[in-house]
Amino acid sequence: MPNKRALGESQMLQDMVGKVALVTGGSDGIGLATAKLLVQRGATVAICARREDKLEAARAELSALGQVEVHKLDVSDDAAFTALIEDIAARHGRLDMLVNNAMSVHYAPISKLTLEHWRQDFAVNADAVFVGTKAAMKVMAKQDLSGRQRGSIVNIASTCGIRAMANMASYSASKAALVHFTAAAAMEGATKAIRINAIVPGQVQTAATQDYETHAPEVASATTKAIPMQRGGDPDELAQAIVFMLSDAASYITGTALPVDGGKAAQLYMPG
């Protein structure tokens, strides 16, 4: 007689067969970890990013696990981003999931932050999220129901979008815009059986974080120690939360911004 737990895990691993997903910024970090988990769960996954070398490395890793396609794209190119979403839906007959994960960040005090840097962060972190969500909702609204939903969108925010931090004004403001846009979009998507949520990562061990740790080890160490769980997150841990939000297991969740940050968003920090 089969072990019930093993059977359940086996079914869970393939619960997205027949579904189609697009992950922006999918060539490394949180995006790659999310794409990998979606492929493992049986989904057909498209990823897009700007760097061709990273895209090809991601293709090699993901294609060994399942169906994947890669696209070189800058999501701040509104027309190209919209066209990609429409093309994926047309070729596969549907688009079930979108993860708006691509990001832009500039570190500088306001006195040195340029308007160009401000606009670059908003172009990727807010404008592109609007463009992608709009295009995906248009496609999803015409689809047949899959379970209780026609589609699910997850936007990747940041703790900086819900808590203030010096020297990150453009990034923080753009991620705050993303959080509230997610809630507003969810109100419109709800009547169409399209769920829209945000995941709010804290410190995550990505290449950017590792570079920060190399150049400012003392500050990086202090930042990590200030997290209630005393460590940064792993991209795979974020992927689990993102894929949960995309899945039918979250069928009654929409309009929320879920912190995945080791307790940072809930913390009242008192210097010792």
Side-chain angles (χ1 to χ4, degrees):
M1 186 174 181
N3 180 283
K4 289 184 178 181
R5 180 176 178 181
L7 181 59
E9 290 175 349
S10 174
Q11 291 172 337
M12 177 65 76
L13 286 174
Q14 292 295 307
D15 64 344
M16 292 185 171
V17 172
K19 294 191 175 184
V20 179
L22 169 61
V23 181
T24 72
S27 62
D28 63 3
I30 295 170
L32 179 58
T34 300
K36 182 177 180 179
L37 185 55
L38 287 168
V39 170
Q40 289 173 327
R41 298 269 286 262
T44 296
V45 179
I47 63 171
C48 65
R50 290 178 295 181
R51 289 184 53 178
E52 194 164 353
D53 57 336
K54 286 192 173 184
L55 277 170
E56 289 307 316
R59 186 206 299 270
E61 180 177 351
L62 296 173
S63 61
L65 302 172
Q67 298 183 66
V68 64
E69 58 185 63
V70 304
H71 302 271
K72 185 178 180 182
L73 177 78
D74 183 341
V75 294
S76 65
D77 184 336
D78 303 346
F81 190 16
T82 298
L84 175 62
I85 289 172
E86 293 174 347
D87 175 66
I88 291 170
R91 286 187 292 104
H92 294 282
R94 61 187 301 111
L95 176 66
D96 299 280
M97 299 170 280
L98 170 65
V99 181
N100 282 309
N101 170 71
M103 57 86 78
S104 172
V105 58
H106 286 88
Y107 304 93
I110 292 173
S111 61
K112 296 182 178 180
L113 186 69
T114 68
L115 185 58
E116 181 183 5
H117 291 159
W118 177 274
R119 287 173 173 164
Q120 285 175 354
D121 284 356
F122 266 84
V124 175
N125 301 337
D127 297 355
V129 173
F130 161 73
V131 170
T133 298
K134 179 180 179 180
M137 288 179 71
K138 183 177 179 181
V139 167
M140 291 171 176
K142 299 175 183 178
Q143 297 175 168
D144 294 334
L145 281 168
S146 176
R148 296 191 175 197
Q149 63 187 31
R150 288 190 171 87
S152 180
I153 299 170
V154 172
N155 299 324
I156 309 305
S158 168
T159 299
C160 291
I162 60 174
R163 295 288 184 272
M165 181 175 177
N167 302 321
M168 296 189 72
S170 57
Y171 180 72
S172 297
S174 62
K175 288 296 188 177
L178 178 154
V179 169
H180 205 74
F181 169 72
T182 297
M187 297 303 98
E188 297 186 26
T191 59
K192 302 176 176 67
I194 301 169
R195 296 185 305 102
I196 306 169
N197 292 286
I199 294 293
V200 187
Q203 180 179 311
V204 181
Q205 298 306 113
T206 62
T209 303
Q210 291 166 0
D211 183 61
Y212 180 59
E213 290 172 345
T214 300
H215 290 88
E218 292 184 3
V219 177
S221 177
T223 301
T224 300
K225 289 178 181 178
I227 299 169
M229 291 184 71
Q230 300 280 292
R231 67 175 180 87
D234 186 88
D236 291 339
E237 293 176 298
L238 271 296
Q240 290 286 348
I242 294 165
V243 173
F244 164 72
M245 279 297 194
L246 291 170
S247 75
D248 292 339
S251 60
Y252 199 52
I253 302 174
T254 197
T256 195
L258 175 67
V260 185
D261 61 1
K264 190 65 180 177
Q267 180 187 44
L268 175 62
Y269 179 66
M270 303 293 287

